[in-house]
Amino acid sequence: MAITLTGKQQEVLALPAKGHIVVLGTAGSGKTTIALHRARHLANIPGRGRILLVTFNRALVEYMKGIDYIQSSKLTVENYHRFARGYLNARGKMPKWNGILSPEQKECYIGQALEKLKVEHPEESTLKRPREFFVDEITFIERFGFNNLAEYREAERIGRASSNIKRENRKWIYAVYEEYQTLRQTDEPRYDWDDLALYVFRELQEDDSARRYTHIIVDEGQDFSPMMIKSLVAATAQGGSFTFFGDVAQQIYGSRLSWRDSGITTNRIWRFDVNYRNPESIAAFAAAITETKYWRQDRDMVEATSQIAEGPKPILVKFSSREREMSWVVQQAIDRGKIASAVIVCRNWTDISAFSQALRVQGCNAVEINKDTPGYANEKEVYLTTYHSVKGMEFDHVFIPNLTEDKLPDPDVVSRAVSKEDAYADEIKLLYVAVTRSRYGLYMTFNGTLSSLFPVDSDRYDFYGEENL
């Protein structure tokens, strides 16, 4: 698949092949395209070593691997956790089996640590907070890589204003964290998914061997924790380059952490504000999402100043039943998939399975995009995927069904969150990501109660009842 850089995007190829480079862009500005071109450009420089192009999303990794244009024996494309496991394994620090705790195991160990501290200090009010609070705060400690209580206590940013943790009480949270580390070492797993990067970074500090990669490029960097970025910076060969591509508006993995906390040093930030993907009508609706009360503003967010593409206004359709809604979405997706690419984006894989079955009944074998999907190529087909897996991709037509309060925000996410505000701030970004995947048509549907995350007062979409279709 040929990829062509346009206008300001071409300037990235002229950036130096050394030092730290930060590129921030709005949705549709071609960040992934630019990252791919930079990887290819660096791979073609004679004698400049190996290149690692790393992203958070495994589905996006498979998409990148399917692009023939960037293939090179010097280029490796993988997600962060594969890089981390591979490095620790090469250093003899990764168990052969079950070396990483599952999220459920992590929560269980933290619960055990909390109960132990409660018994020892029955009057301490901080320890009476819910287990979910400690899971969330310990994850914050891990992602920032605090080495001791003093660093944690003095940290100016604790991740969520709703946590409201007094400095003198942070010692109790850190005590639970230390007990959690002790308990989990009694079994085989050494790491959890959130502190894996911390151990990679520490190992790199002790590793004086030649670095494997001369250049490292991070795509969708807004979803990486500070320790992930620090470890990748440390993994870059001296005299090489580290390039960060990101968009805080698409920060969908709940970290709410800035690249500025990640050890990147740069005198200039490149900002790409031209939206090459979305028509003005869709970009305007995406902007309406960022204007709702649930959206949290960020100084690094890049707003689109212009759009290149043209297309119709997004539509929202209300149906009387889920069956009627699914039937309409399925037929419309099939019709459009005959002449263009069309994707149905859902909040969870249960809904994906239901749509997949409904499509098969109509004789359409839709392509499900997940971490194992090889060579996604945006062809004239019908695709199915989730809000998370669609990151970094684009389609001619995007269908977003089930925009109801019982689906978005996800009730399980809300129930596990420290606060409703935090959960809603994360979930609304998923809607933004899904909306901005479209190059032409955007079709949103619901039955029952419309999601409170939807910008219902906006005039940037057309509303229809099923009787008007």
Side-chain angles (χ1 to χ4, degrees):
M1 180 174 67
I3 305 173
T4 303
L5 292 183
T6 306
K8 190 177 179 181
Q9 294 176 328
Q10 296 175 329
E11 298 178 20
V12 173
L13 293 186
L15 295 178
K18 62 180 180 179
H20 297 176
I21 298 165
V22 173
V23 181
L24 304 179
T26 186
S29 60
K31 294 179 298 299
T32 296
T33 297
I34 304 168
L36 290 166
H37 265 273
R38 180 156 178 82
R40 181 177 182 273
H41 172 71
L42 292 171
N44 287 336
I45 298 177
R48 291 295 294 177
R50 296 181 58 82
I51 298 93
L52 172 65
L53 176 55
V54 60
T55 190
F56 196 91
N57 187 328
R58 285 185 290 180
L60 185 55
V61 168
E62 294 303 319
Y63 162 61
M64 290 176 170
K65 286 182 176 179
I67 299 176
D68 294 335
Y69 182 73
I70 67 161
Q71 300 305 313
S72 169
S73 60
K74 295 168 60 178
L75 174 62
T76 299
V77 181
E78 60 189 14
N79 76 327
Y80 177 81
H81 289 114
R82 183 176 179 85
F83 156 79
R85 294 197 310 271
Y87 175 71
L88 290 174
N89 182 65
R91 297 285 291 175
K93 298 296 179 68
M94 176 62 68
K96 291 184 178 180
W97 305 104
N98 302 321
I100 304 174
L101 291 175
S102 69
E104 294 76 18
Q105 289 173 314
K106 175 179 178 178
E107 184 172 347
C108 181
Y109 276 118
I110 291 175
Q112 292 177 28
L114 177 59
E115 291 305 314
K116 184 176 185 295
L117 269 292
K118 282 182 178 180
V119 171
E120 296 174 357
H121 307 276
E123 302 302 319
E124 176 50 49
S125 60
T126 304
L127 298 174
K128 295 178 182 179
R129 292 204 180 204
R131 180 169 62 177
E132 291 77 13
F133 166 80
F134 286 90
V135 172
D136 199 43
E137 195 62 18
I138 287 172
T139 296
F140 172 81
I141 292 172
E142 293 174 324
R143 289 177 176 175
F144 263 87
F146 298 124
N147 292 301
N148 50 57
L149 173 59
E151 290 183 4
Y152 173 53
R153 186 176 54 236
E154 296 306 314
E156 291 297 328
R157 182 183 179 189
I158 301 303
R160 303 161 316 283
S162 59
S163 296
N164 191 27
I165 311 163
K166 294 181 180 180
R167 289 186 187 274
E168 60 265 29
N169 291 333
R170 294 180 193 173
K171 64 182 180 181
W172 298 110
I173 298 165
Y174 205 81
V176 175
Y177 169 54
E178 290 181 315
E179 183 62 30
Y180 157 63
Q181 290 182 306
T182 299
L183 288 174
R184 79 181 192 190
Q185 294 302 327
T186 61
D187 294 329
E188 180 66 22
R190 291 180 178 172
Y191 316 105
D192 66 38
W193 290 108
D194 297 298
D195 71 3
L196 189 63
L198 172 60
Y199 288 96
V200 170
F201 179 74
R202 288 175 177 173
E203 189 64 27
L204 283 162
Q205 301 307 297
E206 301 295 327
D207 183 1
D208 58 2
S209 62
R211 297 294 189 246
R212 177 176 176 81
Y213 298 107
T214 304
H215 307 284
I216 294 182
I217 301 169
V218 174
D219 188 39
E220 303 292 354
Q222 71 279 350
D223 291 324
F224 286 61
S225 73
M227 282 313 309
M228 288 180 180
I229 299 299
K230 284 183 179 180
S231 66
L232 290 167
V233 170
T236 305
Q238 187 174 6
S241 67
F242 177 85
T243 311
F244 176 98
F245 291 88
D247 176 11
V248 297
Q250 299 184 62
Q251 193 172 44
I252 63 174
Y253 288 97
S255 63
R256 294 187 291 279
L257 305 174
S258 173
W259 64 269
R260 298 175 186 274
D261 302 304
S262 303
I264 299 174
T265 57
T266 182
N267 294 323
R268 179 179 179 181
I269 301 172
W270 291 75
R271 296 179 183 271
F272 289 83
D273 55 7
V274 177
N275 188 331
Y276 295 93
R277 178 194 302 139
N278 307 133
E280 182 178 1
S281 55
I282 293 177
F285 178 70
I289 295 175
T290 70
E291 295 164 5
T292 66
K293 64 180 180 180
Y294 299 113
W295 190 272
R296 290 178 175 172
Q297 299 299 328
D298 190 296
R299 62 173 171 162
D300 282 332
M301 180 175 169
V302 179
E303 296 184 7
T305 59
S306 62
Q307 294 78 36
I308 305 300
E310 297 182 358
K313 205 171 185 179
I315 68 170
L316 174 69
V317 186
K318 181 177 182 179
F319 290 87
S320 58
S321 69
R322 186 151 292 178
E323 291 74 22
R324 288 180 178 272
E325 178 185 7
M326 179 175 287
S327 177
W328 185 83
V329 170
V330 164
Q331 192 56 57
Q332 294 296 316
I334 290 174
D335 290 345
R336 282 157 180 75
K338 293 175 181 177
I339 57 175
S341 60
V343 65
I344 301 173
V345 187
C346 297
R347 182 62 183 85
N348 56 57
W349 286 105
T350 299
D351 289 342
I352 292 295
S353 296
F355 272 102
S356 180
Q357 174 61 27
L359 286 161
R360 283 197 298 271
V361 169
Q362 298 300 318
C364 175
N365 292 314
V367 177
E368 293 187 18
I369 299 175
N370 55 45
K371 62 183 177 63
D372 299 317
T373 305
Y376 155 76
N378 189 24
E379 298 175 346
K380 296 177 182 179
E381 289 191 65
V382 178
Y383 298 88
L384 290 165
T385 195
T386 64
Y387 290 95
H388 286 91
S389 292
V390 80
K391 172 79 79 72
M393 300 179 183
E394 58 183 40
F395 303 84
D396 297 311
H397 300 278
V398 173
F399 293 84
I400 310 177
N402 301 332
L403 282 174
T404 51
E405 192 67 13
D406 64 332
K407 296 283 187 179
L408 188 74
D410 187 309
D412 290 337
V413 171
V414 176
S415 66
R416 294 195 305 267
V418 173
S419 72
K420 175 181 175 181
E421 291 76 16
D422 287 338
Y424 278 43
D426 290 340
E427 291 285 293
I428 197 170
K429 287 193 173 183
L430 292 174
L431 178 60
Y432 178 90
V433 167
V435 162
T436 54
R437 299 308 96 197
S438 176
R439 290 197 302 238
Y440 185 77
L442 176 60
Y443 317 89
M444 301 167 287
T445 64
F446 75 104
N447 69 88
T449 303
L450 182 63
S451 168
S452 56
L453 300 182
F454 194 90
V456 66
D457 295 328
S458 173
D459 61 356
R460 301 171 192 174
Y461 67 94
D462 290 328
F463 175 77
Y464 298 94
E466 65 178 283
E467 67 276 4
N468 302 127
L469 294 175

